[in-house]
Amino acid sequence: MLKRLHDALRLRTNPAIFFGAAAVVIFFVVTAVFFTDAADAFFAGGAGWVMHNLGWFYILGVSVFLIFLGYVALSRFGGLRLGSDDERPEHSNVAWFAMLFAAGIGTILMFWAVAEPVSHFAEPPFEGVEPESREAATNAMSITLYHFGLHTWTIFTLPALAFGYFMYKRNLPPRVSSMFQPLLGAKIHGAPGKIIDILALVGTLTGVAVSIGLGTLQINAGLARLFGISESAISQIGIIAAVTIVASISAALGVNRGIKVLSNTNILIAVGLLVFILISGPTVMLLKGMVEWAGAYLSSLPGLMFWNDTLADTGWQDGWTVFYWAWTITWSPFVGIFIARISRGRSIRQFVIGVLAFPTLFSVVWFGIFGTAVFDVELNGEGGLVETVVGQGDIPGAMFELLGHFPWAAVMSAVGILIVTLFFITSMDSAGLVMDSMASGYDDAAPRHQRVFWVVAIGVVAAVLLTATGQTGLTALENVAILIGLPFFVLGYFMMWSLLRAMREDAGEVGVIRSRQWRRTLPPEEYERRADTGALTDEVVAPDHIQGSEPENAAPLEHPDQPEMVKAYRQRNGGV
């Protein structure tokens, strides 16, 4: 039945994974719309239980992931390449950084650049610190950079490294299940693999929708200040609809003609806004603050990465750190595959250092300048940011409130809206492309309407989370993110084991590392389709063939006769 529906819709994907994930998303949307109170109670209760009982697990997990990545990068495995041994990167360093940054945390940098430093400045998380003091400012920046520095990019880097290794070193399908091949073997193509991939797709879609929801709130807040547009459900649905249309067009155009162009453009405009704040504000103070906060972050990092607020038990971390880690890891599969795709050919050492260090450095500069500007307004200027963000709870409008204290406030607010919108679009279109490849299991060009489906699904779920729940939009987004993120953290530990096992299997023990060569593995349905159309090549292998099982010639490049191989594959799987 699913196969007939799949063919009738002219799709080219895995029917079980595609329709399974679609069914869960539709069920979620219908439940949220027609059983609002029950859905609210479920997510609020589940999130409350997770935060109270397992918040420590989230905090421990990210720090363990960071230590593991450091070990891998500095070990002998660091010389392995994500691809063949002689492969080199496709994209320049500048283009690479722009794409991974725009698809990564561009939207949340805009959302929290002002809101988080103001919040911690007014309400310090540590006992004995006077609110709105110089000590509160230092602590606020340490916490902010902890949230958006190495730890956030660790959550992206671990799955990205695993995807890159299994996709381009072992030539497995671009699916979450492929990362567990050392554990599951050929079962990654069976029921266990399909279950993992369906859950990964649903969790990723929900996590991206949370980010889109935050971006929508910020765009709505900016439009309200500039043009008096109401901050209402109708306005937010209109914003999501408009951006979804543009993101769908970009996804249909692909990476090079769509996402890459938008990413490069957006990073340039964002840097332009940063330079404007630096030049038009107290330049020397902003530069001094940027350097000082970097030092405060580095000096406090060893304590913060394992801090659980054990004795005071104020619950502060539940609404901040735990929410961040849970939310970020839900959309890490999408960002992970995307980063892996644009990082092919780089060594593991280059990859880990690049993905961790450069975005973290940019975050230090970004938050250092905006955060210092916040303190200047509050301590030396007219103030008002604390009242707006903390007193009135207007977190989405924090950025525009700050820009109101600088020259050309209206123009700069318009630029800020443009930046958030472009980050919004690049997150949606790249997520659509990646989720489509996760469902289909290969990187080849897929039908455009198939890719567009995922973009539209993200927009619909974001609209539902914001407007069809009984709680405030931001609270609903936080609850969903915290609950959905839990299984992803559990999988993270298996991911580390699987990646280390694969590298140990493939790497030499001494001297220059020479790794085994792996033929490309296609998903079963795509292998069958190519067999029927005569499109199989010597570069692919049957899905149930366990590469690497023989110690000496684990994956011989000499390929058996294709017709005989197809016949044997079908006999093993009950075919003709």
Side-chain angles (χ1 to χ4, degrees):
M1 177 180 175
L2 290 180
K3 184 67 166 59
R4 289 197 299 269
L5 179 60
H6 171 275
D7 295 341
L9 294 174
R10 296 183 178 180
L11 301 176
R12 188 180 166 187
T13 184
N14 181 288
I17 296 175
F18 181 89
F19 290 115
V24 175
V25 171
I26 292 172
F27 175 79
F28 171 80
V29 170
V30 171
T31 302
V33 172
F34 294 101
F35 303 96
T36 303
D37 293 339
D40 281 345
F42 173 77
F43 284 110
W49 185 89
V50 168
M51 287 188 294
H52 179 72
N53 295 284
L54 296 176
W56 62 270
F57 180 68
Y58 284 71
I59 293 169
L60 172 66
V62 182
S63 295
V64 170
F65 299 163
L66 176 59
I67 294 171
F68 172 79
L69 289 171
Y71 161 73
V72 170
L74 298 176
S75 72
R76 61 192 178 93
F77 303 121
L80 288 171
R81 288 195 174 272
L82 304 181
S84 60
D85 291 345
D86 59 350
E87 196 164 354
R88 292 299 179 267
E90 176 184 359
H91 303 286
S92 68
N93 290 335
V94 174
W96 179 55
F97 170 71
M99 285 190 289
L100 70 88
F101 178 80
I105 60 170
T107 302
I108 58 178
L109 286 188
M110 289 294 295
F111 191 88
W112 295 108
V114 177
E116 175 141 4
V118 170
S119 298
H120 304 331
F121 178 65
E123 298 178 345
F126 302 117
E127 287 187 306
V129 178
E130 181 182 353
E132 302 183 42
S133 64
R134 289 176 173 80
E135 184 181 5
T138 300
N139 289 336
M141 292 308 302
S142 298
I143 289 287
T144 299
L145 292 175
Y146 167 55
H147 286 157
F148 297 101
L150 289 171
H151 278 66
T152 283
W153 283 95
T154 290
I155 297 175
F156 293 144
T157 306
L158 177 60
L161 177 59
F163 276 126
Y165 193 89
F166 287 103
M167 285 167 56
Y168 301 127
K169 177 62 73 176
R170 292 203 166 185
N171 281 313
L172 293 172
R175 289 175 174 161
V176 173
S177 58
S178 294
M179 294 189 287
F180 304 101
Q181 185 241 15
L183 179 64
L184 297 177
K187 292 180 181 179
I188 63 172
H189 303 296
K194 288 182 174 63
I195 293 172
I196 291 174
D197 292 324
I198 290 173
L199 293 176
L201 277 170
V202 174
T204 300
L205 191 150
T206 305
V208 176
V210 170
S211 179
I212 299 307
L214 293 176
T216 300
L217 292 174
Q218 189 171 30
I219 293 173
N220 197 178
L223 293 175
R225 282 167 170 74
L226 282 181
F227 306 109
I229 296 175
S230 64
E231 296 186 57
S232 63
I234 295 177
S235 299
Q236 292 161 10
I237 290 175
I239 292 169
I240 291 176
V243 177
T244 299
I245 293 173
V246 179
S248 298
I249 296 173
S250 177
L253 291 174
V255 174
N256 289 325
R257 290 191 296 164
I259 297 172
K260 188 173 183 178
V261 174
L262 283 176
S263 299
N264 291 338
T265 302
N266 204 24
I267 197 68
L268 290 175
I269 300 175
V271 170
L273 177 63
L274 187 70
V275 171
F276 170 80
I277 296 294
L278 178 63
I279 294 176
S280 60
T283 305
V284 175
M285 178 182 178
L286 297 182
L287 292 174
K288 290 170 62 178
M290 178 185 68
V291 174
E292 184 172 339
W293 311 141
Y297 165 57
L298 292 175
S299 63
S300 61
L301 181 60
L304 286 175
M305 63 192 296
F306 294 106
W307 176 55
N308 272 289
D309 195 25
T310 304
L311 299 180
D313 196 22
T314 62
W316 177 90
Q317 281 185 310
D318 296 345
W320 289 98
T321 308
V322 175
F323 162 63
Y324 279 147
W325 295 170
W327 165 36
T328 305
I329 205 167
T330 56
W331 54 312
S332 64
F334 133 63
V335 179
I337 286 186
F338 184 79
I339 292 176
R341 288 177 64 179
I342 63 176
S343 304
R344 182 171 184 169
R346 297 182 184 273
S347 71
I348 290 178
R349 186 171 295 113
Q350 291 172 338
F351 178 87
V352 171
I353 294 175
V355 179
L356 284 179
F358 290 111
T360 297
L361 180 61
F362 187 89
S363 294
V364 169
V365 174
W366 181 271
F367 282 102
I369 290 177
F370 276 100
T372 308
V374 165
F375 303 142
D376 178 61
V377 170
E378 286 297 317
L379 297 175
N380 304 322
E382 301 173 355
L385 292 174
V386 170
E387 173 59 27
T388 299
V389 177
V390 180
Q392 302 175 17
D394 187 11
I395 292 178
M399 172 68 74
F400 305 106
E401 184 68 21
L402 175 67
L403 293 175
H405 294 271
F406 285 79
W408 307 333
V411 175
M412 289 299 105
S413 294
V415 171
I417 294 174
L418 176 63
I419 295 172
V420 175
T421 303
L422 289 177
F423 277 135
F424 194 156
I425 294 170
T426 53
S427 293
M428 289 187 75
D429 58 13
S430 54
L433 287 173
V434 168
M435 291 176 68
D436 181 60
S437 67
M438 289 169 64
S440 62
Y442 56 91
D443 290 327
D444 299 348
R448 291 182 178 179
H449 65 284
Q450 184 176 297
R451 286 179 275 168
V452 170
F453 166 80
W454 295 110
V455 176
V456 174
I458 292 170
V460 170
V461 172
V464 168
L465 288 174
L466 278 179
T467 62
T469 58
Q471 306 179 51
T472 61
L474 190 58
T475 302
L477 295 175
E478 291 178 350
N479 289 338
V480 171
I482 291 171
L483 192 58
I484 295 294
L486 180 58
F488 284 85
F489 263 98
V490 176
L491 288 177
Y493 286 92
F494 289 98
M495 200 181 302
M496 289 189 295
W497 177 89
S498 185
L499 181 61
L500 192 59
R501 171 68 179 269
M503 290 188 296
R504 284 175 172 170
E505 288 177 353
D506 294 346
E509 293 294 330
V510 294
V512 177
I513 293 179
R514 296 185 60 84
S515 59
R516 290 169 173 163
Q517 301 300 303
W518 297 81
R519 289 194 300 274
R520 186 181 183 190
T521 303
L522 291 173
E525 66 282 349
E526 182 65 12
Y527 182 84
E528 290 276 3
R529 189 193 69 81
R530 296 191 185 188
D532 291 338
T533 59
L536 280 177
T537 67
D538 290 345
E539 298 173 352
V540 301
V541 69
D544 63 348
H545 177 72
I546 307 301
Q547 301 187 63
S549 58
E550 301 85 7
E552 296 298 329
N553 55 347
L557 294 180
E558 296 77 10
H559 203 285
D561 183 65
Q562 282 289 358
E564 292 299 322
M565 187 184 72
V566 172
K567 181 179 179 181
Y569 168 74
R570 286 178 169 164
Q571 288 176 344
R572 290 194 301 270
N573 291 275
V576 178

